[in-house]
Amino acid sequence: AQSVTQLDSQVPVFEEAPVELRCNYSSSVSVYLFWYVQYPNQGLQLLLKYLSGSTLVKGINGFEAEFNKSQTSFHLRKPSVHISDTAEYFCAVSPTGNQFYFGTGTSLTVIP
Amino acid sequence: DAGVIQSPRHEVTEMGQEVTLRCKPISGHNSLFWYRQTMMRGLELLIYFNNNVPIDDSGMPEDRFSAKMPNASFSTLKIQPSEPRDSAVYFCASSLFIGNTIYFGEGSWLTVV
């Protein structure tokens, strides 16, 4: 069985500070990993994805994530956040060739 | 390129009425997904299709919900009769194939009063 755990439901952070949003997954097979962002009143947009190769993945808007197979984690990081990064962030797992499983989301609030 | 297109964007309807939500996936994508998002339950997968065939509808809450995909460029999600607890944002999404990146539409915001 597959599952995705986002450990923090809400993360407040000051503008220009670094942030890490945590994601852990469980799966008995190889997986693809994704982070999506949802701005208020909008759909989900792809931030970045890991399919294979380098475990450090860079995405849009200065975000990056690192796949750690031994810890079954795919944490999202940004060295300096902006007000415009305030949004809901979803981690997702896709066992190879199978459907997506989404986490419950982390609400990031950037404080001026 | 046009993304996933959903209609209507917003709908307010009375309890008991039929609601039909529509989706046009990205051209060339052969997998289509319907999700529902609420504050209480987050993002739930309702049903997904592969090559127009429903693969897994175990997320459909009850018989009042039905989904069809008559061709590769169109899908509907129907609720009949609607109830206030159906109020949510319904997202359609598509991908090139199962397991590949999913692209979401802007959502249909449904309010049942």
Side-chain angles (χ1 to χ4, degrees):
Chain A
Q2 283 69 229
S3 70
V4 181
T5 303
Q6 291 185 242
L7 297 166
D8 307 299
S9 60
Q10 296 185 21
V11 173
V13 62
F14 285 103
E15 191 175 14
E16 298 184 5
V19 70
E20 178 179 83
L21 306 183
R22 296 179 292 171
C23 173
N24 287 87
Y25 68 93
S26 64
S27 176
S28 56
V29 300
S30 297
V31 296
Y32 297 153
L33 297 157
F34 305 79
W35 275 98
Y36 284 82
V37 59
Q38 184 180 27
Y39 298 105
N41 301 320
Q42 295 186 26
L44 282 72
Q45 302 173 32
L46 180 68
L47 259 184
L48 49 78
K49 61 184 176 183
Y50 171 80
L51 304 181
S52 65
S54 173
T55 57
L56 182 63
V57 180
K58 294 188 183 298
I60 62 171
N61 300 339
F63 284 93
E64 64 180 31
E66 186 158 19
F67 169 51
N68 188 319
K69 188 174 182 179
S70 63
Q71 297 185 5
T72 60
S73 67
F74 191 55
H75 301 332
L76 181 70
R77 302 186 184 98
K78 186 169 182 177
S80 175
V81 294
H82 301 288
I83 296 291
S84 59
D85 293 324
T86 294
E88 190 86 13
Y89 291 80
F90 292 90
C91 181
V93 167
S94 172
T96 310
N98 207 326
Q99 59 158 302
F100 272 55
Y101 297 87
F102 281 89
T104 52
T106 297
S107 178
L108 173 65
T109 302
V110 179
I111 305 164
Chain B
D1 288 339
V4 176
I5 300 172
Q6 292 186 246
S7 65
R9 283 299 313 278
H10 299 273
E11 173 132 357
V12 180
T13 190
E14 291 185 346
M15 181 174 62
Q17 296 297 306
E18 177 180 292
V19 173
T20 300
L21 308 178
R22 299 173 181 79
C23 176
K24 177 178 169 54
I26 294 173
S27 177
H29 284 191
N30 65 8
S31 299
L32 183 139
F33 307 80
W34 282 101
Y35 285 88
R36 177 172 69 177
Q37 186 177 38
T38 61
M39 289 292 292
M40 292 297 293
R41 291 187 296 271
L43 198 61
E44 304 172 277
L45 176 64
L46 300 178
I47 185 172
Y48 72 96
F49 296 82
N50 194 41
N51 293 323
N52 312 340
V53 176
I55 302 300
D56 184 353
D57 65 353
S58 59
M60 296 286 262
E62 49 198 274
D63 292 344
R64 297 185 296 106
F65 286 69
S66 62
K68 294 181 180 179
M69 192 165 185
N71 58 61
S73 58
F74 184 66
S75 176
T76 60
L77 178 67
K78 187 174 293 187
I79 308 172
Q80 167 63 17
S82 58
E83 296 181 3
R85 60 192 169 121
D86 301 329
S87 298
V89 185
Y90 291 82
F91 288 104
C92 177
S94 71
S95 67
L96 196 57
F97 54 83
I98 297 289
N100 205 309
T101 306
I102 289 182
Y103 295 89
F104 284 80
E106 291 294 304
S108 291
W109 302 69
L110 174 65
T111 302
V112 183
V113 297

